Amino acid sequence: MPIARNGLIHAAVVMLVGCAVNASAGDIADKAAVTRPQPAAAATVASNRAWLAQLPFSDRQDFEDARRGFIADLDEPAIRAADGHIVWDRGAYAFEAADTAPDTVNPSLWRQAQLDNASGLFRVGERMYQVRGLDLSNMTIVEGDTGLIIIDPLLSAETAKAALELYWRHRPKKPVTTVIYTHSHVDHFGGVKGVISQADVDAGRVRVTAPEGFMEEAVSENVLAGNAMSRRAQYMYGALLPKSAQGQVDAGLGKGLSRGTVTLIAPTDSIAKPIETRRIDGVDIEFQLTPGTEAPAEMNMYFPQLHALCIAENAVHTQHNLLTLRGAKVRDAKQWSSYLGATLARYGDKTDVMIGQHHWPTWGRERVGRMLADQRDMYAYLNDQTLRLLNQGYTPMDIAEKLARLPEPLARQWYARDYYGSISHNVRAVYQRYLGFYDGNPANLNPLAPVETAKKTIAWMGGADAVLKRAREAYAQGDYRWVAQIGNQLVFADPGNRAARELQADALEQLGYASENSTWRNAYLTGAQELRGGVASMPRQGTASADIVGALTVPMFFDYLAVRLNADRAAGKTMAINWDFTDLHEKYAMTLENSALTYLPNSFHPQPSASVTLERATLTRIAAGLLKPADAIKSGALRVTGDPATLGALFGMLDSFAPSFNIVTPVAAP
């Protein structure tokens, strides 16, 4: 039962590791025919150049802000792990130094990519510093009277350690006395053991503060659907794309994800009240809880002595996601807007600088107020206008077309542009939140499955050759959206049709080159890459982050077992298993019946098929793939009474999830 090797923990932390292309002969008709990326077509070049007249590119304020307070950068652009592999490499983006965007990159996205390249240690103001550009997120350092308060220690321990060492090289080497997690996303806590140790926390030398509900949200969001989320995140972040003008250039919130060691130390202090004030090492901090905004557990912080507002990730220099492309629960745009309004009312007229845990700060009360108000209005607009149109009967894609641009002057604000979230997929997220996946048209209530739909569509249109001929004509006219759509039908009807694959790849590539949104670009280009070269396989993890695994509750673990249960293999079988965790003093009655695996806490079956006795640490090792159940039984760490075959039979009914399933070609039949 090697859970981690099946993608659970890897996906739970959404950390993408390096992957090798592993294309099978059945997936590619002729491997020798794989084509390289194509240049920008004439229609794409014209589209990209037209952007120069649409937005205020002469406005250079963001570039001044991104470099303001710069102290120093790393001596070497690459950060390495203990085994020598590169965790983070800013040098890979050296090609973005050119002022003029290449034809293969939307000029607006090129501008954002250049801004995200600002890297190093920066002075924000009195007592407050940031390390930016060493990971997807920022690390904020506030100097207390005796030690350091670190806000959000990045994604990986290696990048966090490098960030703190960079600070110490230029500032007094005070110890870290407090770590604050602004919210429950892994890029804001995963590097914590690069700046503090569990021993320091256990000894009371360091406190760890987080919003209420942090631990549950930090380890649960991506577990049950984690394998699919992890695979989709490869597309979203362009993890397998080359860093180039024809590949990955940015991730919208930053350059990309570091590839180091993800860690977690549980909070010792929880912020539970809507507004709560603490004095930490001589620094006054007013915490404002904002649950259900950018994260289920999130909070802003105001520093009255410094006249500084930390907005966490609730306001960044891009439109954010209401539904991330990797998949997640839909965020509440109305609540997000309301909290930004409350933040503006409470702190807007007394904030001299606003920092985010992505991007660069905003200085000046007027500018801070304008940005908060604009982002408040942006999320309100997306929510309310979607509801207005859906109440008139419009479908998700209808609404996406009608609301293609924000109202003026909001549309010309750089921090409202579609670099990470987008109007198109955000309005569809609002629709989904209120009405679900079904658009009300009974023709869409029970459509044919994708492969069958594709085969019938292509046959009715005169066959693959006829469709391919017309699709090529559409491509020559620059109608890339339609070519991608009909090309997908061709490929799903016959995945071995090399000409169809190449044409669809070309269309996706041109859409990527023209996209202002970094995640859309990454998805388009990854799709093109896989159509040409096959699916890139993610190596199964040999070990997983013990911190994340250990944070899984027993119910979370059992829920994941239930998700892995293969209903066909379990058909007609019944089991009753008692689980006794001696160190936790927790017991569970697990039942297998009707191809469903359920459990009841604080209960035992009176006549179980088997009873299992163990400690939580044993489950952690099994979940991390570090201990096989059979070996645990032999060593006595796992004691089974009753029918000894029960546990093995249960494990034999569990599916193992392939971490690199097909997306732009049909999923293989089970």
Side-chain angles (χ1 to χ4, degrees), residues 181-248:
Y181 305 140
T182 61
H183 62 289
S184 52
H185 291 156
V186 68
D187 53 320
H188 298 267
F189 67 79
V192 64
K193 287 192 176 178
V195 297
I196 61 173
S197 68
Q198 186 68 58
D200 288 334
V201 175
D202 293 343
R205 292 187 291 270
V206 181
R207 80 165 79 182
V208 180
T209 300
E212 185 178 41
F214 168 86
M215 280 298 287
E216 179 182 358
E217 299 298 341
V219 300
S220 69
E221 179 182 8
N222 306 307
V223 171
L224 298 183
N227 190 66
M229 286 187 182
S230 182
R231 172 68 169 123
R232 288 165 54 136
Q234 288 185 335
Y235 272 62
M236 177 177 175
Y237 289 104
L240 308 183
L241 295 172
K243 308 295 188 292
S244 72
Q246 290 178 288
Q248 198 261 358

Side-chain angles (χ1 to χ4, degrees), residues 283-437:
V283 178
D284 293 332
I285 307 177
E286 184 172 297
F287 296 91
Q288 178 199 20
L289 286 183
T290 62
T293 52
E294 190 272 336
E298 188 151 355
M299 61 186 182
N300 300 327
M301 289 169 282
Y302 180 70
F303 298 81
Q305 297 150 310
L306 312 180
H307 301 288
L309 173 65
C310 176
I311 199 66
E313 201 171 324
N314 286 320
V316 289
H317 288 273
T318 175
Q319 183 180 147
H320 214 301
N321 284 312
L322 298 179
L323 177 57
T324 175
L325 296 189
R326 66 178 170 81
K329 296 177 181 177
V330 179
R331 297 162 185 172
D332 188 341
K334 190 67 173 179
Q335 183 153 296
W336 198 333
S337 172
S338 296
Y339 272 116
L340 285 173
T343 302
L344 173 61
R346 190 174 186 91
Y347 307 115
D349 63 355
K350 53 186 180 182
T351 296
D352 293 332
V353 60
M354 180 172 69
I355 60 169
Q357 293 309 111
H358 292 278
H359 301 138
W360 50 94
T362 300
W363 280 272
R365 297 185 182 186
E366 182 177 348
R367 291 177 59 215
V368 168
R370 183 73 272 147
M371 182 174 175
L372 287 173
D374 282 346
Q375 295 222 338
R376 172 201 65 195
D377 296 346
M378 175 174 63
Y379 296 118
Y381 174 88
L382 294 171
N383 184 84
D384 298 346
Q385 293 306 304
T386 300
L387 286 169
R388 177 179 69 86
L389 291 171
L390 72 81
N391 276 307
Q392 293 178 15
Y394 291 105
T395 65
M397 284 310 302
D398 291 332
I399 298 170
E401 293 294 324
K402 285 182 172 293
L403 300 181
R405 183 176 172 86
L406 293 172
E408 296 290 352
L410 185 58
R412 293 175 63 82
Q413 294 289 1
W414 293 111
Y415 49 64
R417 300 304 306 174
D418 289 10
Y419 303 121
Y420 193 59
S422 78
I423 299 172
S424 178
H425 71 249
N426 277 342
V427 298
R428 284 178 275 169
V430 175
Y431 189 104
Q432 179 179 320
R433 181 177 181 85
Y434 287 95
L435 293 184
F437 72 93

Side-chain angles (χ1 to χ4, degrees), residues 552-572:
L552 289 172
T553 64
V554 174
M556 286 179 190
F557 180 77
F558 286 165
D559 286 342
Y560 191 69
L561 290 186
V563 168
R564 292 181 59 208
L565 182 73
N566 186 302
D568 293 333
R569 292 202 293 269

